[in-house]
Structures are given as C-alpha cells and as structure tokens.
Amino acid sequence: METTRPVPREAVLIVNAHSRRGQDLFRQAQSKLQAAGVRLIAAHAIKKPSTLPDVMRQAVRDGAPMVIVGGGDGSLSCTVDDVVGRDVVFALLPLGTANSFARTLGIPLDLDGAIDAIANGKRRRIDLGMIDGDYFANAAAMGLSPMIGQTVPHKLKRYLGVFGYLMWALWCSVQFRPFKLSVNDGIDKKTIWATEVRIFNGRFHGGVELAEHAELDDGEIVIQAVTGRSKSRLMWDWFAKYWKLPARNAVVEEFHGKRLMIDTKPRQKISIDGEVLAKTPAVVEVAHKAIEVVVPADAAESG
C-alpha cells in the first residue's frame, strides 16, 4: 500500500557532472528546483563518478529527507544502496543516455518535466534487485551489453547518445560469442544456449522496453535470455522489441522468482545498470519494497 506522506520539500542535490548532460544542466537544475519550491540543503556537481557513493552516503548520514540524484542509470545504481533501510526519499533527474530507470518509473526525460515530477509528485515504495548482495535499481545484463558498456569510448557516448551505442554494438557483435546459461531456483535447474541475458527489476534496458511484464513492486526478479547461438536472433530481438512487433518475445525465455542462481560457460561479466560490477556464477534476488522514490502524481501504481 502506497504511503500518504507528502514528498519532502527539502533535499540534497547530487549531479554526476561527468554524465552526458550533467555538467551542462547542473546549474539549471539548482535554480529550477528552488523555483519549484524545493529548498536545497546542499548541491554537489560531481566531476569524479567514483566519489558519488561517498557524497550520497554523507548526505544520508546528515539526515537529508530527500536526495535528488542527477545522472544516468549507473549513477543511480551506485547510490541507491545507501537509501535502503533509511528514512530518506530517493528522487532522480534523468541526465544520462538511456535513462532506463526513469522510463520504468514514468518520469519525464526532460529537465523541466522531471523537476515537476519531484515538486508535485508522490512517494512510491519499490523493489530493488540484488546480485551477490549488491543492490541495483533497474537492470543487469550478460553478453553483448557488458562488452559494449566496458569498451564504448566516452566521447562517442557523450556526443552521439543512443546512436553511438548502436554503432559500437555493431562493432562489438562481430567479436562476440554465445554461451551456456544455467538458471537454478533451488528446485529445478535449466541450461540453455544464450547470446544475451538480462536481469530485470524494471522494464527498460538500453532505453528500450525489453521486459514489458516486469513490475517494480511484485517481489520478483525476472531473468530474460535471448536463446540459441545465432547473433542474428539477438539483433532481431532488439529490433522487434524496439518497434513492439507482435513476435517480439519469440526468441526469449524468461525465469521469475525471489531468488535465482545463475552460472555460465564460459564465465561472463555482469553489467549492472551500465557498469561492469560482477561475474558469474552469481545469486540474483529481489529486495521487496526496499526504497521510496518520487514518481509523477499521475503515475500508475505498478509497472
């Protein structure tokens, strides 16, 4: 059941100024938030992304009633851990490339729309995913996505956005090889060939809705595998889901559960909200309704 408490009117603003639009929009965000009635206790433009968690941790320790994080999905995922179990509301300004978590929450991708959602929105308690005890907000992946995320030149991502990602993805796909995936729910184990595996808390990955039935508050994690050994099937899957074709789920298999064990042959790196942070084998689970976020006042109660 959703809380009826209002969204706090005081907050700490933390913007990843290294993200695609963060440096350009930091000062605009400051002035527009305050004009919208949100008093900023402090505001930080972070030039070194590695310091984001420390700044977030200090803001929570200092008792900030709300922390607004501006950046991409990686920025959100590396800061969300410090909100779990604390009486603090998490709000976001989508300043990255794909902004998948914001899309799942129904938050407008433009700065004015996102600020309006914070100033006039509502609280919503949502799940987080966990991989080997590390929380993540939206999605993780194995296969082609981590290869892209680990090697894509920053300038290509910064100036060309999603188009730059697609160009780099085509280049990476030439070198990529399929792998065997095993999923174990503690009762049954299934092994299949796969070209990509996505682990969903939210519905979007890479800015595309790939898991349309994933919910943010249903207490389950979703593992979606693009099956087979053909890279053309992977390309088809992205194409079909991007255009929402009727057969968009024809080449995937999904596993749902509260706790799932995954393994691969050969071992695979796991990209968590765009950052390569883990490897197989791994335990994937859900932290049910772990944090409170701000969503638009008219956002749906689930999804």
Side-chain angles (χ1 to χ4, degrees), residues 219-235:
E220 284 194 337
I221 207 79
V222 178
I223 295 177
Q224 183 187 87
V226 181
T227 60
R229 303 175 69 174
S230 168
K231 285 181 278 188
S232 63
R233 286 166 70 93
L234 176 58
M235 298 301 107

Side-chain angles (χ1 to χ4, degrees), residues 28 32-33 36 93 108-120:
Q28 289 185 51
K32 289 184 176 185
L33 280 163
L93 296 175
L109 303 186
D110 64 289
L111 183 62
D112 289 336
I115 288 174
D116 180 71
I118 294 171
N120 301 300

Side-chain angles (χ1 to χ4, degrees), residues 13 15 29 33 68-72 76 91-96 99 111 114-115 118:
L13 173 65
V15 171
L33 280 163
I68 304 168
V69 177
L76 304 178
L92 62 133
L93 296 175
L95 306 181
N99 298 310
L111 183 62
I115 288 174
I118 294 171

